Amino acid sequence: MTTLDREETRATGGARPGAGGRPLPLKLAVPAALLAGLALLVAFPPYGLWPLAPAGVALLAAAAHRRRLRAGAGLGFLAGVALFAPLLEWTNLHTGYLPWLLLSLLQAGYLALLGAATAWVSPLVDRHRAAWPLVTGVLWVGQEALRDRTPFGGFPWGRLAFSQDTSPLLRLAALGGAPLVTFAVALAGGILLTLAWRDWRQPAGLWRPVAGLAAALAAVLAAGPAVPAGVRGGGDGVTVAIVQGNVPRLGLDFNAQRQAVLNNHVDATLKLAEQVAAGTQRHPDLVVWPENSSDIDPLRNPGAGERITQAADAIGAPILVGAVLLGPGEGQVRNAGLLWRPGSGPDLDQLYTKRHPVPFAEYVPLREIARMVSSEVDRVRSDFVPGATPGVLETGPAILGDVICFEVAYDGIVRDTVTGGAQLLVVQTNNATFDVAEARQQLAMVRLRAVEHGRAALMASTVGVSGFVSPDGRVDGATGFNTAAVVVRQMRLGDGRTPATTAGVWPEVALAALAVAALAGAAVLRRRREVDPG
């Protein structure tokens, strides 16, 4: 064995040099990594080509297999940039290129870790080829578990599970939430890779493993539709109106238009009340306004409070208002969902304060250091204070599970409302600073949450896309973007728990633990082969 052969053996964890024993040539691995990122990208809304998500997983795993750790990390980073830079393009529409670039590179860094981990486990999957799909699946779950939590509470946008809103795999969310859906997608990608990574020049005896892997892939895709959708209903239902008032202009200066935005939502509700009085529209039991529908604190500004009271009294139903409230301290504010009842006004006992404000958008951690990177951080003049309790609101007609904007991406924040008794999921959001792609990506998350917890759900946006989602993930009454709309629907209430709701974080813990075990097993094999590379 030459010195070069020994280096290759060491880099690949002891795989024999020659046909089938080396990584893909770099001239193939680099395009494969870039194609992996692009395939993953178009799996997400607004493209929605969900079958390309497993293909992207397979391409990245093939590119990183048997490479040195640095090369695996580099290829993972390339795939991450190809995925996240265009996926998160909506973040630069009104804030400039720097925040978008920094966020995209940060997220790509997690795929770099995944690429390095994929390279690291190469000796394990070479030795136990049947385990390759399983190892691929758990590594993806482990990567997302880390990315969803770090830094500053994480940023779960772009999880594999959120690309599957029209996929048969979506129903697996009812069994194990988003982590199980991610695992199924990556498992399917691992099966594709295992099917492809073989010496096709020697076809003798190939048909049995190929047939077995093909059957396993078909079983994974068939598992989702076999899962029942929804849980038992808790009543006859409730009639809910979503009011999408729109804003005069898209962009960060929607705050400067706050009186106009409030007036838009009040006027749309008054028009709905006229239609109800004329008999052309059903009377809602509950009205939902989006996040930032009243950026004037209605508890401290009498004019704003009077306008909301006018709307609630006219429609004769409680309104869930998305409001920015001042305090509790000097220079602090709260992003809140506040119930406003007809005849009595604000119900301060039914107030939800957003638990996970967005770092560098709603508050600035390490402000002095962040200002050295960009003075744009000073656009955030007041830090939003996080709430301490789940968004469980007793409205009378229904118990709501309220989350605000990006909170729908976080597993625990949504689950806490259901375990707290929520019968209906509500996502209040403001997409005026983004675009229709971001809104559709967010709606895909709402669809997964509805299936995950067996609850009907709705998303109410200032500018769109708003809509209703049934417990099996179907969307009804979706509105257009950058337009005013009012949609009224009958919604079924739920009062049971799915296996995913009951299990909580444990499916993710179990799958991430398997990822750690795979990394440890690969370390043992590498150690042994360093001692005896033959």
Side-chain angles (χ1 to χ4, degrees):
M1 180 179 288
T2 67
T3 301
L4 183 61
D5 287 337
R6 287 193 181 94
E7 288 183 2
E8 182 67 29
T9 298
R10 193 174 296 112
T12 62
R16 294 178 181 177
R22 298 186 186 278
L24 284 179
L26 201 59
K27 64 182 180 181
L28 296 179
V30 170
L34 291 172
L35 283 174
L38 294 175
L40 292 168
L41 169 67
V42 297
F44 288 90
Y47 312 103
L49 300 178
W50 64 264
L52 290 181
V57 169
L59 284 167
L60 176 56
H65 185 52
R66 294 175 176 162
R67 309 212 84 88
R68 295 179 183 272
L69 296 186
R70 284 178 296 177
L75 291 166
F77 188 76
L78 282 178
V81 171
L83 166 61
F84 287 111
L87 184 72
L88 303 177
E89 186 181 13
W90 42 265
T91 61
N92 76 23
L93 294 178
H94 306 288
T95 61
Y97 289 103
L98 185 60
W100 164 61
L101 178 64
L102 293 176
L103 181 60
S104 299
L105 294 178
L106 174 63
Q107 300 308 300
Y110 289 92
L111 286 199
L113 292 176
L114 177 63
T118 301
W120 178 259
V121 300
S122 297
L124 179 67
V125 298
D126 278 332
R127 183 167 179 172
H128 304 287
R129 187 55 60 94
W132 205 352
L134 173 64
V135 171
T136 303
V138 298
L139 287 181
W140 269 93
V141 174
Q143 173 266 140
E144 289 189 357
L146 184 64
R147 189 166 68 84
D148 297 350
R149 293 168 172 82
T150 59
F152 308 115
F155 186 68
W157 216 272
R159 296 167 76 178
L160 287 183
F162 296 151
S163 70
Q164 302 297 297
D165 58 318
T166 58
S167 162
L169 297 177
L170 182 67
R171 286 198 182 183
L172 292 176
L175 300 180
L180 183 60
V181 179
T182 285
F183 172 74
V185 175
L187 180 71
I191 293 173
L192 290 175
L193 175 59
T194 310
L195 276 168
W197 194 283
R198 55 182 62 251
D199 191 349
W200 291 96
R201 295 171 298 181
Q202 300 176 6
L206 283 181
W207 69 270
R208 287 183 179 176
V210 168
L213 288 167
L217 180 60
V220 170
L221 295 176
V227 178
V231 293
R232 67 184 185 276
D236 295 332
V238 60
T239 301
V240 182
I242 295 174
V243 175
Q244 178 179 303
N246 208 8
V247 300
R249 296 181 306 280
L250 296 176
L252 288 177
D253 66 341
F254 77 89
N255 279 313
Q257 315 162 52
R258 53 187 185 166
Q259 184 64 59
V261 174
L262 173 59
N263 288 340
N264 284 353
H265 288 84
V266 170
D267 294 342
T269 306
L270 294 176
K271 184 176 180 180
L272 174 62
E274 293 174 359
Q275 295 170 342
V276 170
T280 58
Q281 184 59 274
R282 286 176 292 181
H283 187 282
D285 302 306
L286 174 69
V287 177
V288 178
W289 288 3
E291 177 191 25
N292 297 123
S293 49
S294 181
D295 274 357
I296 305 172
D297 185 345
L299 301 180
R300 301 199 184 195
N301 186 296
E306 289 171 4
R307 290 243 65 194
I308 299 173
T309 295
Q310 179 188 9
D313 291 347
I315 197 64
I319 301 175
L320 180 61
V321 179
V324 173
L325 306 179
L326 301 179
E330 186 69 27
Q332 294 179 326
V333 289
R334 291 167 289 162
N335 193 346
L338 171 62
L339 195 69
W340 207 279
R341 297 187 185 276
S344 58
D347 185 345
L348 299 183
D349 291 329
Q350 305 304 320
L351 169 67
Y352 169 61
T353 300
K354 187 176 183 180
R355 296 168 65 191
H356 197 300
V358 179
F360 304 104
E362 293 180 312
Y363 77 101
V364 180
L366 309 173
R367 185 181 285 268
E368 294 300 323
I369 297 174
R371 188 180 290 116
M372 296 178 187
V373 178
S374 173
S375 61
E376 293 293 313
V377 298
D378 289 328
R379 285 178 177 265
V380 183
R381 296 185 179 90
S382 300
D383 287 335
F384 280 77
V385 179
T389 57
V392 181
L393 303 178
E394 174 61 75
T395 69
I399 302 175
L400 304 183
D402 186 28
V403 298
I404 297 176
C405 200
F406 287 7
E407 287 187 320
V408 70
Y410 295 87
D411 298 343
I413 291 179
V414 180
R415 179 179 179 269
D416 286 348
T417 69
V418 179
T419 57
Q423 300 169 311
L424 181 68
L425 298 179
V426 172
V427 179
Q428 295 177 285
T429 186
N430 172 29
N431 307 109
T433 57
F434 306 124
D435 64 11
V436 67
E438 184 272 345
R440 294 198 178 279
Q441 290 162 18
Q442 200 170 32
L443 184 60
M445 300 176 196
V446 180
R447 298 178 73 173
L448 184 138
R449 298 306 181 196
V451 174
E452 179 180 10
H453 298 294
R455 293 290 190 275
L458 65 88
M459 185 165 96
S461 170
T462 47
V463 298
V465 175
S466 304
F468 296 89
V469 181
S470 63
D472 62 0
R474 290 177 297 173
V475 177
D476 182 34
T479 63
F481 188 77
N482 194 20
T483 184
V486 174
V487 191
V488 182
R489 291 291 187 273
Q490 184 85 5
M491 304 189 75
R492 177 70 62 179
L493 304 180
D495 67 352
R497 293 191 182 186
T498 64
T501 308
T502 301
V505 75
W506 289 110
E508 184 179 40
V509 169
L511 293 168
L514 287 175
V516 173
L519 294 171
V524 172
L525 285 179
R526 283 175 170 271
R527 187 68 174 173
R528 288 177 180 173
R529 289 177 175 180
E530 283 181 1
V531 174
D532 182 12

